[in-house]
Amino acid sequence: MTQPKQPTNTGALATLVIVFFFWGFIAASNSIFIPFCKTHFNLNQFESQLIGSAFYGAYFIGSLILFICSNVLGYDILNKIGYKRGIIYGLLISVVGALLIIPSANANSFPAILASFFVVALGFSLQQTAAQPFAIILGDPSTGSHRLNLGGSVNSLGTTLGPLIVSFFLFGTADSKNAVVTVTNINVLYMIVAAVFAAVAIFFSLSKLPDGKNDEKFEKANKASGSLLVMTLLIGAVIVVGQLTEVPKITLLIITLVSVVGVLFYSNSQATKSSEGWGAMKYQQLIYGMIGIFVYVGVEVTIDNNFGALLKTPGYLSDLGLDESQISKYVSLYWGSLMIGRWTGAISVFNLSAAMRKVMTIIVPFIAFGIVLGVSKIYGNDISDLFGYAVFIAIAIAAFFYGQEKPVKTLVTVASLACIAMLVGVFTTGIISVYAFMAGGLFCSVMWPCIFALGVGGLGKYTSQGSAFLIMMILGGAIIPPMQGALGDITTMHNSYLLAAGCFAFLVFLALKLKRVLHAQGLDFDEQISGGH
């Protein structure tokens, strides 16, 4: 007997996607705030990237604390309090963080600003951990991925609007060259951000949303939690060494990178010998998936977080380099590129004929491109130099068609093209180089679902735990951007993008490795999808 499909709670879903918007809005806005802090506090490029480290490091720490506490107590804390309350508590933590930015700016203290951003992202960590499974249970489980795609599309809209709106608040209109940012500008901006977070929290608490709980039995993984704690302690030790010694930053960051990868592979090798207490970590595909998410998030963030400094470099795009107030349209189009790709990827959610799906795959990216340009124009930007970017969108559309929604084939294709784009960006200057670096967003846009699907493939009852481990690896956004910043200090910002090219080349290798690991277990996702279509 066929079970009747559970209808989607559209009202609750509409409320939920608001938080998806704000994750993107704030994360992308860091790209505008970073170059401001670099100038205001007289930082080098490595030091300016610590904003991203504080932000994305909080995702890892927040997820780790939640997992370890649940592991000690023997039950899923978030499931016990409910996803709805988890989101509300997360929003309130972010309110505190946004309000802390104000006295931090008034005190002219960069360390205090870093701590404030950490608190904001700590709230985001709780929100994201709760919101993803919440979206799945707000309707039929078989259409859960569709609701996540919707959330991802709204998130991308936030990443597109964030840089423009924040730039407007900090600098005034887009053509206000050499604008002086005062503490008052920052106070007003983050008072509004805190007020909006608080309003959404109140709205959530008063709304008739379900509590959001599931009946999955929590399974302890003491050895896995111990392994993640060791990883955290190693990263902490590197930070202490960096503060107390004169060891080069790039050396410390390489040690951090090796520590993360080394702990993961050691954990898997031990779990292979004896799986008890390791939970999902006994699966090799999860380990590769965790490394993949680490590198993917790191490279997606580093392209953008260092972009402002590159655009300000004399002789790169203009003779004198761009003023801080002039970079928002390029940053916005980088994040808009992610929106373009994700909106295109969401077409499969709708029940369209094969012919109409092909037509929409061509039309939707250009509609999204038009929206990004239109919003930028409304905020006072001259967008005439961005029209040529349509060529890169056409290349991305061809890549999406070639990938056929097969995770391995798509990941290999877009990662290869992204690597080529980074090399074109490094070995050229002017608008072509800018286009090439922004195209990294187009190719990154479909990587998360590919890596995620391959990483949790075949995990069975450990899928939920494996998903939590994958989300922890957003940590890559805390390590790879400052590594590029350190390279920029040693060489040039332009040449530092060779690191991004290397990351994408590694993702090509990883995709092929994941395919072999899954194939050895009798799983071939590309073949299954091919057969299903």
Side-chain angles (χ1 to χ4, degrees), residues 275-340:
S275 62
E276 187 179 349
W278 284 104
M281 276 195 179
K282 64 185 176 185
Y283 291 94
Q284 198 172 21
Q285 63 264 37
L286 176 65
I287 300 300
Y288 285 123
M290 289 172 76
I291 295 170
I293 291 292
F294 179 94
V295 173
Y296 151 71
V297 173
V299 72
E300 177 185 281
V301 174
T302 199
I303 291 172
D304 173 66
N305 280 11
N306 288 284
F307 202 26
L310 178 61
L311 291 167
K312 290 176 69 176
T313 303
Y316 172 66
L317 183 59
S318 63
D319 290 339
L320 300 177
L322 298 186
D323 179 69
E324 287 171 11
S325 61
Q326 298 173 298
I327 66 177
S328 65
K329 69 175 181 179
Y330 302 106
V331 171
S332 180
L333 185 51
Y334 171 76
W335 289 106
S337 297
L338 284 137
M339 184 181 86
I340 291 166

Side-chain angles (χ1 to χ4, degrees), residues 9 21 23 28 51 59 95 156 164 166 190 231 239 244 280 292 311 326 338 382 424 449 453 472 482 533:
N9 187 334
F21 176 87
W23 300 336
I51 287 179
Y59 272 87
V95 168
S156 293
L164 294 168
V166 169
Y190 284 98
M231 182 192 296
I239 292 171
L244 301 179
L311 291 167
Q326 298 173 298
L338 284 137
D382 174 12
V424 169
M472 285 182 196
H533 283 71

Side-chain angles (χ1 to χ4, degrees), residues 19 22-23 59 62 66 78 81-98 116-131 193-194 196-198 200-202 204:
V19 298
F22 282 110
W23 300 336
Y59 272 87
L66 194 62
L78 199 52
I81 64 172
Y83 298 135
K84 176 183 174 180
R85 284 187 183 177
I87 292 170
I88 293 169
Y89 295 157
L91 284 163
L92 293 176
I93 292 170
S94 294
V95 168
V96 173
S116 304
F117 269 98
F118 183 87
V119 175
V120 170
L122 209 56
F124 279 15
S125 173
L126 184 54
Q127 291 170 48
Q128 182 153 339
T129 306
V193 169
V196 172
F197 283 154
V200 175
I202 292 168
F204 259 72

